[in-house]
Amino acid sequence: MKSIPGWQGVFLGGIASWVVISSILKVTEKLRSLIQPWVSQHVISGTPFTLKIQRYQYRYLDALFSGLSCIVSVPFYTGFLPLLFWSGHCKLARQMTLLMAFCDYMGNCIKDVVAAPRPSSLHVRRVTATEDEKENALEYGLPSSHTLNTVCLSGFLMHYVLSYTQNEDLSTELAGLAVISLLVGLIGLGRIYLGMHSLIDIIGGLAIGLAILAFWIFAHSYIDSFIVSGQNVASFWTALAFLLLFAYPTPELPTPSFEYHTAFNGVALGIVIGVQQTYHQFHHENVPRIFTPQLSFPAFVGRMLVGLPTILLVKYCSKALAKRTLPMLANALSIPIRSTSYIPGLCGPNTTKKPNETKQAGYVLKLFFFSQQDSFDVDTGIRLLQYTGLAWSVVDLVPSLFTYLHL
C-alpha cells in the first residue's frame, strides 16, 4: 500500500483548520466590515463615469459588448474546453480548465466576502441580453469575473503558445500582448457600458487576474506533473473538492456564486480523476492533433457529433443518479437535508434558513459540531456529482468511444 505524502496531509489539514478557525473568529464578517464600505463608496462615486460611457447608446454597441460578454463567459468555456481536449491539445486543455476553476473560486470568494453592490443608480442602464447575464446580475460586483477570467485565460494561452513554439521574437510577443490588452480593455469597457460593473470592479478584476496569472505561470507545471504522475491523486483531489465547499465564505445574502463554484469544482475533480486514470491512453503529448494526417478536420467534426451528445447525456444521468442516491445515503447516516430546487419533496417552509444559514457552507462548524436542528442542502452534492460526471466523460468515456469508432 502506497504511503500518503506528508505534504498532502499538511495541505488538507491546513484548509480544514482554516475552515474551523475562520468560522470561530468570524473572519468573513470582519473582512466585509472593513472592505465593503470603502468599495461601496467607490461604486457610488463612480456612477458619473458610468453614466458618461452610457451616453453613447447604440444598438451595435449593445450587440458588440453583449457578444463579447458571451464569448468570455463561463458557459462559453464550458463548451470550448471539451473541444480543446478532443482536438489533441490535452495539456493546454487541462491547464485551462483548472485555471478556470481556480479563477472562478477566487473571484466568487472575493465577491461574497466583500459583498459590494453593482451600479444601482436609477439613471444607470443595465443591459442583460441573455439568461446567463441576468443570473450574473444577481451576484455581487467586485471583482469583475469577466475581466479577471479574460486576463488569466488569454494571458496563459499566450504564455503556452509562446512556450510551445519556443518563439522568442519580441515583435510577436508585443503583438500578442497588444491583442490581449485590447480584448481586456474592450471587456472592461463593455461591462461598464452594459451597467454590470463600476470602474472599481474592473480595476479589481484586472489586479486580481494578474496576480492569479503570475501564480499559475509559476505553478502550473508542478500541478500538471502531480496530476499525471503523482501519488494518491484521486483521493487527494476528492478531499480537496469536499473541503473547498466548506471553505467557501458565507455571503451577506444568497447569490448564484456558490453554485458556479460548485459546478467548476466538480469539473476540476472529474478532469483530474479522468486524466490521471487515462493519461497514457488518451492525454499524453504524442496524441494526434487536429489538422494533422492522424486527426483530420472531418474526423474532428465526427468527434464533436459523438462527444457533445454523450457528455450531455452523462450530465443528465449523473444528476438523476445523484438525486436518487444522495438522499438515501443521507437518510442512512441520519443526516438532515433540504433541497432548494432539485427535489420538490425536500423543499418547503420548514426547510427555509436564515440568510446566514444558506447553502453556502462557510459556517461549517456544523461539520464538526453537528446538531439535529441543522440541515445540509443536498443540491450542492447533486451539482458536484453532476459536473464531476460530465467532466470525467470528457476525458475518459468519450475518448474511449473515439477509439472504438476509430475517430
Side-chain angles (χ1 to χ4, degrees):
M1 182 177 178
K2 292 182 178 180
S3 61
I4 300 176
W7 71 266
Q8 295 184 11
V10 171
F11 187 82
L12 296 176
I15 296 177
S17 300
W18 164 253
V19 169
V20 177
I21 294 171
S22 63
S23 298
I24 295 174
L25 299 180
K26 299 186 182 300
V27 173
T28 297
E29 292 83 351
K30 291 178 180 178
L31 287 174
R32 184 179 297 139
S33 66
L34 291 173
I35 303 173
Q36 186 188 61
W38 182 81
V39 177
S40 299
Q41 181 59 41
H42 278 77
V43 172
I44 296 171
S45 63
T47 300
F49 179 74
T50 301
L51 294 175
K52 284 182 181 180
I53 292 178
Q54 290 197 335
R55 283 190 303 179
Y56 304 95
Q57 295 182 16
Y58 301 100
R59 288 185 178 179
Y60 73 88
L61 286 179
D62 288 358
L64 171 64
F65 290 129
S66 295
L68 284 175
S69 296
C70 289
I71 65 171
V72 296
S73 64
V74 170
F76 170 79
Y77 287 112
T78 303
F80 169 73
L81 291 172
L83 303 184
L84 198 57
F85 275 106
W86 302 337
S87 70
H89 297 280
C90 304
K91 183 176 181 179
L92 174 61
R94 59 180 177 264
Q95 285 299 307
M96 292 277 280
T97 303
L98 295 177
L99 176 56
M100 185 71 190
F102 187 52
C103 290
D104 184 77
Y105 184 77
M106 294 301 298
N108 286 333
C109 277
I110 295 171
K111 281 178 185 285
D112 282 348
V113 167
V114 178
R118 291 180 183 268
S120 56
S121 169
L122 294 176
H123 302 289
V124 173
R125 184 181 68 125
R126 182 168 295 168
V127 181
T128 52
T130 64
E131 289 299 320
D132 180 57
E133 282 289 84
K134 292 177 182 177
E135 219 173 337
N136 286 338
L138 300 176
E139 296 182 293
Y140 291 112
L142 181 87
S144 166
S145 297
H146 284 72
T147 305
L148 190 158
N149 293 343
T150 303
V151 169
C152 289
L153 295 172
S154 60
F156 181 75
L157 179 61
M158 174 182 164
H159 169 77
Y160 180 88
V161 170
L162 292 177
S163 300
Y164 182 78
T165 59
Q166 297 183 341
N167 192 311
E168 298 181 357
D169 184 14
L170 180 61
S171 60
T172 303
E173 295 179 5
L174 291 176
L177 184 60
V179 170
I180 292 174
S181 300
L182 176 62
L183 178 61
V184 172
L186 287 174
I187 293 297
L189 178 63
R191 302 311 286 168
I192 297 175
Y193 175 87
L194 297 174
M196 295 293 288
H197 284 286
S198 302
L199 180 61
I200 186 68
D201 302 338
I202 305 302
I203 295 173
L206 179 62
I208 296 168
L210 288 172
I212 292 175
L213 176 61
F215 165 78
W216 198 258
I217 289 176
F218 167 77
H220 77 277
S221 59
Y222 300 102
I223 296 172
D224 195 65
S225 177
F226 169 67
I227 291 171
V228 301
S229 60
Q231 297 181 29
N232 307 298
V233 176
S235 57
F236 169 79
W237 211 280
T238 300
L240 176 63
F242 180 77
L243 284 174
L244 288 179
L245 293 177
F246 288 97
Y248 192 89
T250 304
E252 195 170 45
L253 294 171
T255 73
S257 297
F258 180 70
E259 298 178 8
Y260 298 153
H261 153 64
T262 303
F264 254 97
N265 193 1
V267 167
L269 177 59
I271 292 296
V272 169
I273 291 175
V275 168
Q276 197 271 334
Q277 291 177 337
T278 62
Y279 174 74
H280 295 290
Q281 294 173 269
F282 308 127
H283 303 290
H284 55 85
E285 289 301 293
N286 296 321
V287 297
R289 289 187 169 87
I290 191 173
F291 302 125
T292 63
Q294 293 79 21
L295 182 58
S296 63
F297 184 73
F300 178 69
V301 172
R303 287 188 170 193
M304 288 193 293
L305 294 176
V306 171
L308 292 176
T310 301
I311 64 174
L312 293 177
L313 178 62
V314 170
K315 179 184 176 183
Y316 172 81
C317 294
S318 299
K319 181 178 180 179
L321 182 62
K323 286 170 66 175
R324 292 182 66 87
T325 57
L326 287 184
M328 294 171 57
L329 179 62
N331 289 334
L333 297 175
S334 300
I335 299 175
I337 57 174
R338 67 189 188 279
S339 174
T340 306
S341 58
Y342 284 163
I343 305 177
L346 295 176
C347 302
N350 60 332
T351 61
T352 303
K353 292 285 180 180
K354 294 181 292 184
N356 65 336
E357 293 178 342
T358 56
K359 60 189 169 185
Q360 286 86 343
Y363 54 94
V364 157
L365 286 179
K366 293 193 298 186
L367 180 64
F368 304 95
F369 306 100
F370 194 73
S371 66
Q372 292 299 319
Q373 286 71 35
D374 292 328
S375 63
F376 293 95
D377 192 339
V378 72
D379 290 7
T380 297
I382 293 171
R383 188 174 293 109
L384 180 70
L385 292 179
Q386 174 187 9
Y387 283 91
T388 299
L390 168 68
W392 166 82
S393 69
V394 168
V395 296
D396 193 336
L397 176 62
V398 171
S400 299
L401 290 177
F402 294 160
T403 302
Y404 178 77
L405 297 173
H406 303 289
L407 288 174

